[in-house]
Amino acid sequence: MGRLKKYRQSFMIWVSVLVGLTITLSLPMLSVQSAESYLSKSYRSSTQPFDRSLAAQSTSAQSTSAESLLQQGIDLYKAERFLEAATIWQQALTTFAEADRLNRSMVWSHLSLAYQQLGRWQEAEAAIATSLNLLQAELVHSQPYAAILAKALNTQGRLQWFRGQIEAALESWKSATVSYTEAADPTGVMISSINQATALQALGFTVQAEAELQTVAQLIQQQPDPDLKAIGWRNLGNALRKVGKLKESLKALQASLQVIQETGGSTAGLVSTQLDLGNTERALADRAIAIGSTDQAKQHYQAALTFYQQAYQQAAAAPSPLLKLQAQLNQFSTLVATEPDSATALASTLQPQFATLPLSRSAVYAQLNFVKSLTKLENLTQTEINPTSTYVKSTYVKSAAQLLANTIQQAQQLGDAIAESYGLGQLGELYEQTGQWQAAQNLTEKAFLKAEQAQAPDVRYRWEWQLGRLLEKQADPKGAIAAYTSAVETLKSLRTNLLLSSADIQFSFRDDVEPIYRGLVKLLLSSEGTPPSQDKLKQAILQIDALQLTELENFLGCNLAQTVQLNQAEVDPKAAKIYPMILEDRLAVVLELPGQKPLAYAEVMQPRQAIEATLQQLRQDLREPDRTPEALDGLQEVNRWLIEPFQSVLSQEPQIESLIFVLDGELRNIPMAALYDGNQYLIHHYAIALAPKLELFQPSRRSRNLNVFLGGIGEPQTVNNETFPKIENLSSELEEIRKLVQARPPLLNAEFTETNLEKSLQTAQFSAIHLKTHGVFSSDPEETFIVAYRELITGKDLGRLIQTGRIGEASPVELLVLSACSTAQGDNRAVLGLAGTAVQAGARSVVSTLWEAQDFPNTQMMIQFYQELLNPDLTKAQALRRAQLHLLDQGYQTPHIWATYVLVGNWL
């Protein structure tokens, strides 16, 4: 069994079969795990008589030659020379005897991996099919057979993942887990389990994905080998980062680091873990920036730099020169984002190091990532020279061009069409920045063809977008629209893979996806003095709808393509929809009336920065009760943008009772009900709701009688060093609601724990949930939570608890009310936290607050809301409107008190 033992120990080089690890260029941070794979040696040996088939009749010379070729291929593959590895393995196939099915199957499996790395998908599919067919013909199912079958199934799952066949990949990895178990390979079980969790998360099965990862953690803890334990924790940490659990990722990677430090593990393993710790800290910093937490971001950026610096120092003793460079490149990309002056000093020391690297895929991508960071630094430099000047070519441009020319040549030597596509495309981007449009277009078209040749849509969409920008700059709007549209369609086909790609190399949604949708909308609405056509307005609405869906998927981390797209004209003839779209040079607004009536269009010609500054100031004014005059001025300004242009149209539609807003950017933080015309608020005329273009259930009128689950906590709490004050009117609010609707006794204070909440939800039948507790909703799922007794329940966990309680029930939750919560200040996507929680809970709609409401009027408003819901003829939006008007009638005139409430989702 010596070969089998050696086979299992060689698992330490198995790192990229964690399926999400593709090489992209969105975040220029490298990992040493990006391009190696778990490859096995031949199973023919005197110490391992795995069967007594005709394979045993092959000559010793043939065996030695075949095994030598197989090992040469493995060495070339580990050196990332995939084309040469494939060539050697093809030779090995001619040397292994026809009857030697196990070894031939293993070689075909290796060939499939090489073809996958080269983007030769049809050949990869044929190779893995041949491998599995040979195994199917094998009659003796020995332990070596199980080990090879596990490897082949894992390879098949990897291929299916990258081809977008997620359910098929999941089944392959489940089967691989069974075979790894039969092969007595617990580490293989761990890897296939991580892959299963990734697929489950992509399919939206969050609960099952987390359970699978918990199983992995148990396997790692039981692993006696410290080297394999360290690798296991590192792989788990990377998987957790991939599914957005960044804090848990940090803990797993720290566990890996601790094992290495305590047992004197390898230098390469130590550097790898330090790099990945830096990558997770960098992801935490980027997430903090996205939600407006700049102080936290600085701390995480500094922690990332510290880990990269430690990795650099340790890598001096590592055998690979690439390790040291990778640590510096990650440090460089972080400094570009945080300390451009320090990055400038580091840049000059990096370029000479590329000349010393041996030819490999990692070396090629290291250069591409360096150029990406260098280009960002160049843009910052140009802005500092003169923000309004024409482009000034610096030494960075020349350096980047030289590196890209070298990279393209090396990619051609490696036969790597994807890397060549990146090189050509980035060189095209460089020409774009220097204003050489035609040369940039030629290079971009070549990059596109290479991506097409490699069947790599995750690369192709970038060049479609780049081509669209270039055609727009060359005054070809028709061609630009076609290119942008192609990029959007490609993104749709990529939705799952891009959403679940590894976080350290994951595309940045704000940088690489959102601008494509906005750029297309801008082109559709640019009509040079004449109103856009009805067709273009409809296309613009479709693109904003798609952006809303993609943002929500990005928040949830799963594909929601199976959800129902609504045609609101058929749903509610008394509701109109308003689509404000914040573009670079204007605010565009489209009004959609029910029925087949023409779309109305208006625009405010102000730059994006000015519009966002106005909205950010307005949000601050609304949150402060002593700034009501300033808030009214801001609300009147936004009313002039969104409502006044359509007053005449709306006045001709007296049947309209509700306005449904599909809000964009900073507008999400503004309560539309409070828009002010100088005399009255918008809520005096219409019921208001917010609706991302997404519903999990076909909308219908709510049930006449609500069965409400009640719970909350009024006692002051301190959790994770954060203090939440006392809520005075907890009992009175919940008891008054209980008098109005059918409800069990509420779950209060010390009883309001995650465990008790789960038990209660499982034993009760309910159509609505009302929770009065502190909470925060943001575009960071890990920072979206409600407060329970001495603990926090994340939005994702709340959704899981509610979903678990609904098992076996046919009807969805009609309404989720989160009283006393608020959205994160400074986060223009925070409302996604509300929408995301509703989706995760399977709720048709959610009512909450943009900022924390005052306790007593909040209680009055909530009681009145349920009082209005007793009227079956009222929609939820109309009931909320009447409750808010009730507060106004009670003398609570300042918008700070009554306007904070929003209804997100189905308003019926």
Side-chain angles (χ1 to χ4, degrees), residues 177-198:
T177 303
V178 173
S179 294
Y180 276 127
T181 303
E182 293 174 356
D185 188 347
T187 316
V189 172
M190 176 192 71
I191 287 296
S192 56
S193 296
I194 289 176
N195 285 344
Q196 284 184 64
T198 304

mmCIF file with all atom_site columns, all heavy atoms in Angstrom, residues 177-198:
data_model
loop_
_atom_site.group_PDB
_atom_site.id
_atom_site.type_symbol
_atom_site.label_atom_id
_atom_site.label_alt_id
_atom_site.label_comp_id
_atom_site.label_asym_id
_atom_site.label_entity_id
_atom_site.label_seq_id
_atom_site.pdbx_PDB_ins_code
_atom_site.Cartn_x
_atom_site.Cartn_y
_atom_site.Cartn_z
_atom_site.occupancy
_atom_site.B_iso_or_equiv
_atom_site.pdbx_formal_charge
_atom_site.auth_seq_id
_atom_site.auth_comp_id
_atom_site.auth_asym_id
_atom_site.auth_atom_id
_atom_site.pdbx_PDB_model_num
ATOM 1   N N   . THR A 1 177 ? -17.141 12.303 -2.730 1.00 0.00 ? 177 THR A N   1
ATOM 2   C CA  . THR A 1 177 ? -17.033 12.152 -1.276 1.00 0.00 ? 177 THR A CA  1
ATOM 3   C C   . THR A 1 177 ? -17.174 10.685 -0.875 1.00 0.00 ? 177 THR A C   1
ATOM 4   O O   . THR A 1 177 ? -16.429 10.183 -0.023 1.00 0.00 ? 177 THR A O   1
ATOM 5   C CB  . THR A 1 177 ? -18.108 13.005 -0.569 1.00 0.00 ? 177 THR A CB  1
ATOM 6   O OG1 . THR A 1 177 ? -17.970 14.370 -0.965 1.00 0.00 ? 177 THR A OG1 1
ATOM 7   C CG2 . THR A 1 177 ? -17.982 12.896 0.944  1.00 0.00 ? 177 THR A CG2 1
ATOM 8   N N   . VAL A 1 178 ? -18.137 10.007 -1.492 1.00 0.00 ? 178 VAL A N   1
ATOM 9   C CA  . VAL A 1 178 ? -18.329 8.580  -1.209 1.00 0.00 ? 178 VAL A CA  1
ATOM 10  C C   . VAL A 1 178 ? -17.067 7.791  -1.564 1.00 0.00 ? 178 VAL A C   1
ATOM 11  O O   . VAL A 1 178 ? -16.599 6.942  -0.793 1.00 0.00 ? 178 VAL A O   1
ATOM 12  C CB  . VAL A 1 178 ? -19.547 8.041  -1.985 1.00 0.00 ? 178 VAL A CB  1
ATOM 13  C CG1 . VAL A 1 178 ? -19.654 6.521  -1.824 1.00 0.00 ? 178 VAL A CG1 1
ATOM 14  C CG2 . VAL A 1 178 ? -20.828 8.703  -1.504 1.00 0.00 ? 178 VAL A CG2 1
ATOM 15  N N   . SER A 1 179 ? -16.500 8.088  -2.737 1.00 0.00 ? 179 SER A N   1
ATOM 16  C CA  . SER A 1 179 ? -15.303 7.356  -3.177 1.00 0.00 ? 179 SER A CA  1
ATOM 17  C C   . SER A 1 179 ? -14.089 7.684  -2.317 1.00 0.00 ? 179 SER A C   1
ATOM 18  O O   . SER A 1 179 ? -13.275 6.802  -2.015 1.00 0.00 ? 179 SER A O   1
ATOM 19  C CB  . SER A 1 179 ? -15.014 7.665  -4.650 1.00 0.00 ? 179 SER A CB  1
ATOM 20  O OG  . SER A 1 179 ? -16.042 7.158  -5.471 1.00 0.00 ? 179 SER A OG  1
ATOM 21  N N   . TYR A 1 180 ? -13.945 8.942  -1.913 1.00 0.00 ? 180 TYR A N   1
ATOM 22  C CA  . TYR A 1 180 ? -12.846 9.293  -1.011 1.00 0.00 ? 180 TYR A CA  1
ATOM 23  C C   . TYR A 1 180 ? -12.983 8.557  0.310  1.00 0.00 ? 180 TYR A C   1
ATOM 24  O O   . TYR A 1 180 ? -11.990 8.134  0.921  1.00 0.00 ? 180 TYR A O   1
ATOM 25  C CB  . TYR A 1 180 ? -12.817 10.799 -0.760 1.00 0.00 ? 180 TYR A CB  1
ATOM 26  C CG  . TYR A 1 180 ? -12.081 11.594 -1.812 1.00 0.00 ? 180 TYR A CG  1
ATOM 27  C CD1 . TYR A 1 180 ? -12.694 12.675 -2.441 1.00 0.00 ? 180 TYR A CD1 1
ATOM 28  C CD2 . TYR A 1 180 ? -10.771 11.281 -2.160 1.00 0.00 ? 180 TYR A CD2 1
ATOM 29  C CE1 . TYR A 1 180 ? -12.022 13.417 -3.408 1.00 0.00 ? 180 TYR A CE1 1
ATOM 30  C CE2 . TYR A 1 180 ? -10.093 12.022 -3.120 1.00 0.00 ? 180 TYR A CE2 1
ATOM 31  C CZ  . TYR A 1 180 ? -10.721 13.079 -3.740 1.00 0.00 ? 180 TYR A CZ  1
ATOM 32  O OH  . TYR A 1 180 ? -10.054 13.802 -4.683 1.00 0.00 ? 180 TYR A OH  1
ATOM 33  N N   . THR A 1 181 ? -14.211 8.383  0.769  1.00 0.00 ? 181 THR A N   1
ATOM 34  C CA  . THR A 1 181 ? -14.439 7.638  2.007  1.00 0.00 ? 181 THR A CA  1
ATOM 35  C C   . THR A 1 181 ? -14.018 6.187  1.836  1.00 0.00 ? 181 THR A C   1
ATOM 36  O O   . THR A 1 181 ? -13.352 5.609  2.698  1.00 0.00 ? 181 THR A O   1
ATOM 37  C CB  . THR A 1 181 ? -15.924 7.720  2.407  1.00 0.00 ? 181 THR A CB  1
ATOM 38  O OG1 . THR A 1 181 ? -16.307 9.093  2.546  1.00 0.00 ? 181 THR A OG1 1
ATOM 39  C CG2 . THR A 1 181 ? -16.179 6.993  3.716  1.00 0.00 ? 181 THR A CG2 1
ATOM 40  N N   . GLU A 1 182 ? -14.382 5.587  0.706  1.00 0.00 ? 182 GLU A N   1
ATOM 41  C CA  . GLU A 1 182 ? -13.999 4.201  0.426  1.00 0.00 ? 182 GLU A CA  1
ATOM 42  C C   . GLU A 1 182 ? -12.484 4.064  0.294  1.00 0.00 ? 182 GLU A C   1
ATOM 43  O O   . GLU A 1 182 ? -11.917 3.012  0.615  1.00 0.00 ? 182 GLU A O   1
ATOM 44  C CB  . GLU A 1 182 ? -14.689 3.719  -0.844 1.00 0.00 ? 182 GLU A CB  1
ATOM 45  C CG  . GLU A 1 182 ? -16.197 3.600  -0.705 1.00 0.00 ? 182 GLU A CG  1
ATOM 46  C CD  . GLU A 1 182 ? -16.878 3.267  -2.027 1.00 0.00 ? 182 GLU A CD  1
ATOM 47  O OE1 . GLU A 1 182 ? -16.168 3.204  -3.057 1.00 0.00 ? 182 GLU A OE1 1
ATOM 48  O OE2 . GLU A 1 182 ? -18.109 3.055  -2.030 1.00 0.00 ? 182 GLU A OE2 1
ATOM 49  N N   . ALA A 1 183 ? -11.834 5.128  -0.179 1.00 0.00 ? 183 ALA A N   1
ATOM 50  C CA  . ALA A 1 183 ? -10.378 5.107  -0.319 1.00 0.00 ? 183 ALA A CA  1
ATOM 51  C C   . ALA A 1 183 ? -9.667  5.424  0.988  1.00 0.00 ? 183 ALA A C   1
ATOM 52  O O   . ALA A 1 183 ? -8.436  5.511  1.008  1.00 0.00 ? 183 ALA A O   1
ATOM 53  C CB  . ALA A 1 183 ? -9.950  6.097  -1.398 1.00 0.00 ? 183 ALA A CB  1
ATOM 54  N N   . ALA A 1 184 ? -10.434 5.605  2.064  1.00 0.00 ? 184 ALA A N   1
ATOM 55  C CA  . ALA A 1 184 ? -9.860  5.942  3.386  1.00 0.00 ? 184 ALA A CA  1
ATOM 56  C C   . ALA A 1 184 ? -9.010  7.207  3.301  1.00 0.00 ? 184 ALA A C   1
ATOM 57  O O   . ALA A 1 184 ? -7.905  7.268  3.833  1.00 0.00 ? 184 ALA A O   1
ATOM 58  C CB  . ALA A 1 184 ? -9.048  4.777  3.933  1.00 0.00 ? 184 ALA A CB  1
ATOM 59  N N   . ASP A 1 185 ? -9.541  8.207  2.628  1.00 0.00 ? 185 ASP A N   1
ATOM 60  C CA  . ASP A 1 185 ? -8.827  9.480  2.440  1.00 0.00 ? 185 ASP A CA  1
ATOM 61  C C   . ASP A 1 185 ? -9.644  10.607 3.057  1.00 0.00 ? 185 ASP A C   1
ATOM 62  O O   . ASP A 1 185 ? -10.449 11.255 2.380  1.00 0.00 ? 185 ASP A O   1
ATOM 63  C CB  . ASP A 1 185 ? -8.607  9.734  0.958  1.00 0.00 ? 185 ASP A CB  1
ATOM 64  C CG  . ASP A 1 185 ? -7.712  10.942 0.690  1.00 0.00 ? 185 ASP A CG  1
ATOM 65  O OD1 . ASP A 1 185 ? -7.472  11.707 1.643  1.00 0.00 ? 185 ASP A OD1 1
ATOM 66  O OD2 . ASP A 1 185 ? -7.261  11.114 -0.442 1.00 0.00 ? 185 ASP A OD2 1
ATOM 67  N N   . PRO A 1 186 ? -9.484  10.866 4.363  1.00 0.00 ? 186 PRO A N   1
ATOM 68  C CA  . PRO A 1 186 ? -10.289 11.907 5.021  1.00 0.00 ? 186 PRO A CA  1
ATOM 69  C C   . PRO A 1 186 ? -10.032 13.296 4.459  1.00 0.00 ? 186 PRO A C   1
ATOM 70  O O   . PRO A 1 186 ? -10.917 14.144 4.472  1.00 0.00 ? 186 PRO A O   1
ATOM 71  C CB  . PRO A 1 186 ? -9.875  11.810 6.489  1.00 0.00 ? 186 PRO A CB  1
ATOM 72  C CG  . PRO A 1 186 ? -8.527  11.154 6.474  1.00 0.00 ? 186 PRO A CG  1
ATOM 73  C CD  . PRO A 1 186 ? -8.540  10.223 5.305  1.00 0.00 ? 186 PRO A CD  1
ATOM 74  N N   . THR A 1 187 ? -8.808  13.536 3.969  1.00 0.00 ? 187 THR A N   1
ATOM 75  C CA  . THR A 1 187 ? -8.520  14.856 3.413  1.00 0.00 ? 187 THR A CA  1
ATOM 76  C C   . THR A 1 187 ? -9.248  15.048 2.097  1.00 0.00 ? 187 THR A C   1
ATOM 77  O O   . THR A 1 187 ? -9.726  16.139 1.783  1.00 0.00 ? 187 THR A O   1
ATOM 78  C CB  . THR A 1 187 ? -7.000  15.028 3.226  1.00 0.00 ? 187 THR A CB  1
ATOM 79  O OG1 . THR A 1 187 ? -6.327  14.547 4.374  1.00 0.00 ? 187 THR A OG1 1
ATOM 80  C CG2 . THR A 1 187 ? -6.656  16.473 3.001  1.00 0.00 ? 187 THR A CG2 1
ATOM 81  N N   . GLY A 1 188 ? -9.340  13.978 1.315  1.00 0.00 ? 188 GLY A N   1
ATOM 82  C CA  . GLY A 1 188 ? -10.130 14.059 0.090  1.00 0.00 ? 188 GLY A CA  1
ATOM 83  C C   . GLY A 1 188 ? -11.592 14.321 0.393  1.00 0.00 ? 188 GLY A C   1
ATOM 84  O O   . GLY A 1 188 ? -12.263 15.091 -0.301 1.00 0.00 ? 188 GLY A O   1
ATOM 85  N N   . VAL A 1 189 ? -12.094 13.678 1.447  1.00 0.00 ? 189 VAL A N   1
ATOM 86  C CA  . VAL A 1 189 ? -13.471 13.926 1.879  1.00 0.00 ? 189 VAL A CA  1
ATOM 87  C C   . VAL A 1 189 ? -13.649 15.397 2.225  1.00 0.00 ? 189 VAL A C   1
ATOM 88  O O   . VAL A 1 189 ? -14.658 16.025 1.885  1.00 0.00 ? 189 VAL A O   1
ATOM 89  C CB  . VAL A 1 189 ? -13.833 13.034 3.082  1.00 0.00 ? 189 VAL A CB  1
ATOM 90  C CG1 . VAL A 1 189 ? -15.190 13.430 3.664  1.00 0.00 ? 189 VAL A CG1 1
ATOM 91  C CG2 . VAL A 1 189 ? -13.846 11.571 2.668  1.00 0.00 ? 189 VAL A CG2 1
ATOM 92  N N   . MET A 1 190 ? -12.651 15.967 2.894  1.00 0.00 ? 190 MET A N   1
ATOM 93  C CA  . MET A 1 190 ? -12.721 17.373 3.281  1.00 0.00 ? 190 MET A CA  1
ATOM 94  C C   . MET A 1 190 ? -12.840 18.272 2.048  1.00 0.00 ? 190 MET A C   1
ATOM 95  O O   . MET A 1 190 ? -13.691 19.157 1.980  1.00 0.00 ? 190 MET A O   1
ATOM 96  C CB  . MET A 1 190 ? -11.481 17.758 4.082  1.00 0.00 ? 190 MET A CB  1
ATOM 97  C CG  . MET A 1 190 ? -11.401 19.220 4.466  1.00 0.00 ? 190 MET A CG  1
ATOM 98  S SD  . MET A 1 190 ? -9.765  19.655 5.101  1.00 0.00 ? 190 MET A SD  1
ATOM 99  C CE  . MET A 1 190 ? -8.790  19.569 3.597  1.00 0.00 ? 190 MET A CE  1
ATOM 100 N N   . ILE A 1 191 ? -11.981 18.028 1.041  1.00 0.00 ? 191 ILE A N   1
ATOM 101 C CA  . ILE A 1 191 ? -11.993 18.875 -0.153 1.00 0.00 ? 191 ILE A CA  1
ATOM 102 C C   . ILE A 1 191 ? -13.303 18.750 -0.913 1.00 0.00 ? 191 ILE A C   1
ATOM 103 O O   . ILE A 1 191 ? -13.897 19.752 -1.326 1.00 0.00 ? 191 ILE A O   1
ATOM 104 C CB  . ILE A 1 191 ? -10.813 18.509 -1.066 1.00 0.00 ? 191 ILE A CB  1
ATOM 105 C CG1 . ILE A 1 191 ? -9.509  19.010 -0.450 1.00 0.00 ? 191 ILE A CG1 1
ATOM 106 C CG2 . ILE A 1 191 ? -10.982 19.119 -2.451 1.00 0.00 ? 191 ILE A CG2 1
ATOM 107 C CD1 . ILE A 1 191 ? -9.419  20.516 -0.342 1.00 0.00 ? 191 ILE A CD1 1
ATOM 108 N N   . SER A 1 192 ? -13.775 17.529 -1.107 1.00 0.00 ? 192 SER A N   1
ATOM 109 C CA  . SER A 1 192 ? -15.028 17.361 -1.850 1.00 0.00 ? 192 SER A CA  1
ATOM 110 C C   . SER A 1 192 ? -16.207 17.941 -1.075 1.00 0.00 ? 192 SER A C   1
ATOM 111 O O   . SER A 1 192 ? -17.175 18.429 -1.670 1.00 0.00 ? 192 SER A O   1
ATOM 112 C CB  . SER A 1 192 ? -15.272 15.883 -2.173 1.00 0.00 ? 192 SER A CB  1
ATOM 113 O OG  . SER A 1 192 ? -15.262 15.093 -1.006 1.00 0.00 ? 192 SER A OG  1
ATOM 114 N N   . SER A 1 193 ? -16.124 17.918 0.256  1.00 0.00 ? 193 SER A N   1
ATOM 115 C CA  . SER A 1 193 ? -17.184 18.533 1.065  1.00 0.00 ? 193 SER A CA  1
ATOM 116 C C   . SER A 1 193 ? -17.182 20.053 0.904  1.00 0.00 ? 193 SER A C   1
ATOM 117 O O   . SER A 1 193 ? -18.241 20.689 0.838  1.00 0.00 ? 193 SER A O   1
ATOM 118 C CB  . SER A 1 193 ? -17.009 18.159 2.535  1.00 0.00 ? 193 SER A CB  1
ATOM 119 O OG  . SER A 1 193 ? -17.150 16.764 2.726  1.00 0.00 ? 193 SER A OG  1
ATOM 120 N N   . ILE A 1 194 ? -15.977 20.655 0.851  1.00 0.00 ? 194 ILE A N   1
ATOM 121 C CA  . ILE A 1 194 ? -15.886 22.098 0.619  1.00 0.00 ? 194 ILE A CA  1
ATOM 122 C C   . ILE A 1 194 ? -16.484 22.445 -0.738 1.00 0.00 ? 194 ILE A C   1
ATOM 123 O O   . ILE A 1 194 ? -17.220 23.426 -0.890 1.00 0.00 ? 194 ILE A O   1
ATOM 124 C CB  . ILE A 1 194 ? -14.422 22.568 0.710  1.00 0.00 ? 194 ILE A CB  1
ATOM 125 C CG1 . ILE A 1 194 ? -13.936 22.514 2.167  1.00 0.00 ? 194 ILE A CG1 1
ATOM 126 C CG2 . ILE A 1 194 ? -14.268 23.982 0.170  1.00 0.00 ? 194 ILE A CG2 1
ATOM 127 C CD1 . ILE A 1 194 ? -12.480 22.872 2.350  1.00 0.00 ? 194 ILE A CD1 1
ATOM 128 N N   . ASN A 1 195 ? -16.176 21.630 -1.745 1.00 0.00 ? 195 ASN A N   1
ATOM 129 C CA  . ASN A 1 195 ? -16.747 21.872 -3.072 1.00 0.00 ? 195 ASN A CA  1
ATOM 130 C C   . ASN A 1 195 ? -18.267 21.759 -3.049 1.00 0.00 ? 195 ASN A C   1
ATOM 131 O O   . ASN A 1 195 ? -18.977 22.542 -3.696 1.00 0.00 ? 195 ASN A O   1
ATOM 132 C CB  . ASN A 1 195 ? -16.159 20.886 -4.076 1.00 0.00 ? 195 ASN A CB  1
ATOM 133 C CG  . ASN A 1 195 ? -14.732 21.233 -4.473 1.00 0.00 ? 195 ASN A CG  1
ATOM 134 O OD1 . ASN A 1 195 ? -14.271 22.348 -4.234 1.00 0.00 ? 195 ASN A OD1 1
ATOM 135 N ND2 . ASN A 1 195 ? -14.028 20.287 -5.047 1.00 0.00 ? 195 ASN A ND2 1
ATOM 136 N N   . GLN A 1 196 ? -18.778 20.778 -2.313 1.00 0.00 ? 196 GLN A N   1
ATOM 137 C CA  . GLN A 1 196 ? -20.235 20.638 -2.192 1.00 0.00 ? 196 GLN A CA  1
ATOM 138 C C   . GLN A 1 196 ? -20.842 21.890 -1.562 1.00 0.00 ? 196 GLN A C   1
ATOM 139 O O   . GLN A 1 196 ? -21.894 22.373 -2.019 1.00 0.00 ? 196 GLN A O   1
ATOM 140 C CB  . GLN A 1 196 ? -20.572 19.424 -1.336 1.00 0.00 ? 196 GLN A CB  1
ATOM 141 C CG  . GLN A 1 196 ? -20.404 18.088 -2.020 1.00 0.00 ? 196 GLN A CG  1
ATOM 142 C CD  . GLN A 1 196 ? -20.864 16.956 -1.120 1.00 0.00 ? 196 GLN A CD  1
ATOM 143 O OE1 . GLN A 1 196 ? -22.047 16.864 -0.763 1.00 0.00 ? 196 GLN A OE1 1
ATOM 144 N NE2 . GLN A 1 196 ? -19.935 16.100 -0.736 1.00 0.00 ? 196 GLN A NE2 1
ATOM 145 N N   . ALA A 1 197 ? -20.203 22.386 -0.517 1.00 0.00 ? 197 ALA A N   1
ATOM 146 C CA  . ALA A 1 197 ? -20.722 23.589 0.151  1.00 0.00 ? 197 ALA A CA  1
ATOM 147 C C   . ALA A 1 197 ? -20.755 24.766 -0.808 1.00 0.00 ? 197 ALA A C   1
ATOM 148 O O   . ALA A 1 197 ? -21.710 25.555 -0.812 1.00 0.00 ? 197 ALA A O   1
ATOM 149 C CB  . ALA A 1 197 ? -19.863 23.923 1.373  1.00 0.00 ? 197 ALA A CB  1
ATOM 150 N N   . THR A 1 198 ? -19.731 24.893 -1.638 1.00 0.00 ? 198 THR A N   1
ATOM 151 C CA  . THR A 1 198 ? -19.690 25.976 -2.618 1.00 0.00 ? 198 THR A CA  1
ATOM 152 C C   . THR A 1 198 ? -20.857 25.866 -3.587 1.00 0.00 ? 198 THR A C   1
ATOM 153 O O   . THR A 1 198 ? -21.515 26.859 -3.909 1.00 0.00 ? 198 THR A O   1
ATOM 154 C CB  . THR A 1 198 ? -18.359 25.946 -3.385 1.00 0.00 ? 198 THR A CB  1
ATOM 155 O OG1 . THR A 1 198 ? -17.280 26.005 -2.463 1.00 0.00 ? 198 THR A OG1 1
ATOM 156 C CG2 . THR A 1 198 ? -18.256 27.123 -4.332 1.00 0.00 ? 198 THR A CG2 1
#
